[in-house]
Amino acid sequence: MASKEPDPTNFGVVNTLLAAIERGDLDQVRRCFAPSALTWHNFDEIEQDVHAMAAMLGHLCAHSTSRSYEDRRITTVGSQAFLQYTLTAALHSGDHFRMPAMMRLEIGSDGLVARIEEYFDSRVLDSLAKAS
């Protein structure tokens, strides 16, 4: 029996990634990414490796009691998933974080996230910076 090759059009890894972020499980987040994966944000136009991206998410997790991806809309084309959502979080300070955003995820031939491009208004990060 032949082993099954990963399918870059199977987007289960997207749901796994979002659920791991909601739980604050950064180890699972890292496992969703190919080792050479990159993340890019429109507000600074810098590509981050998996380690830097996980550190940024770790900051959000450290300052919040819960996180949720709300109003999710996902469209898939080939090995890409386009997501529109609102990331919300309850902060330890009692404030609430709300970030409407869009991202494009590219799934590699290994079935893992190879690249993310995320688009959002960076002013939403001010509420998170105040909580630090």
Side-chain angles (χ1 to χ4, degrees):
M1 183 169 179
S3 66
K4 187 173 179 181
E5 292 293 315
D7 179 359
T9 61
N10 177 346
F11 295 97
V13 71
V14 174
N15 291 323
T16 301
L17 174 63
L18 298 181
I21 294 168
E22 288 178 333
R23 287 190 316 274
D25 184 347
L26 296 178
D27 289 334
Q28 180 64 47
V29 167
R30 287 182 196 92
R31 287 191 294 272
C32 291
F33 286 86
S36 62
L38 295 172
T39 299
W40 175 90
H41 296 102
N42 67 297
F43 66 90
D44 62 7
E45 299 185 47
I46 295 172
E47 290 183 326
Q48 296 179 312
D49 62 13
V50 175
H51 177 74
M53 178 273 313
M56 190 171 85
L57 284 173
H59 180 75
L60 172 64
C61 293
H63 290 92
S64 60
T65 58
S66 64
R67 292 144 305 280
S68 179
Y69 283 90
E70 300 174 357
D71 304 319
R72 295 183 201 186
R73 285 172 281 213
I74 300 175
T75 301
T76 60
V77 178
S79 62
Q80 299 178 71
F82 298 86
L83 284 74
Q84 183 177 358
Y85 56 89
T86 302
L87 174 60
T88 62
L91 303 178
H92 290 295
S93 66
D95 292 330
H96 293 279
F97 175 79
R98 184 176 183 280
M99 183 181 83
M102 291 188 78
M103 77 167 74
R104 182 184 73 83
L105 290 99
E106 199 172 297
I107 307 302
S109 60
D110 57 3
L112 299 173
V113 176
R115 181 174 180 82
I116 290 180
E117 294 172 355
E118 190 171 33
Y119 300 85
F120 60 89
D121 183 345
S122 64
R123 290 178 294 175
V124 301
L125 299 176
D126 294 345
S127 65
L128 191 56
K130 282 190 253 179
S132 298

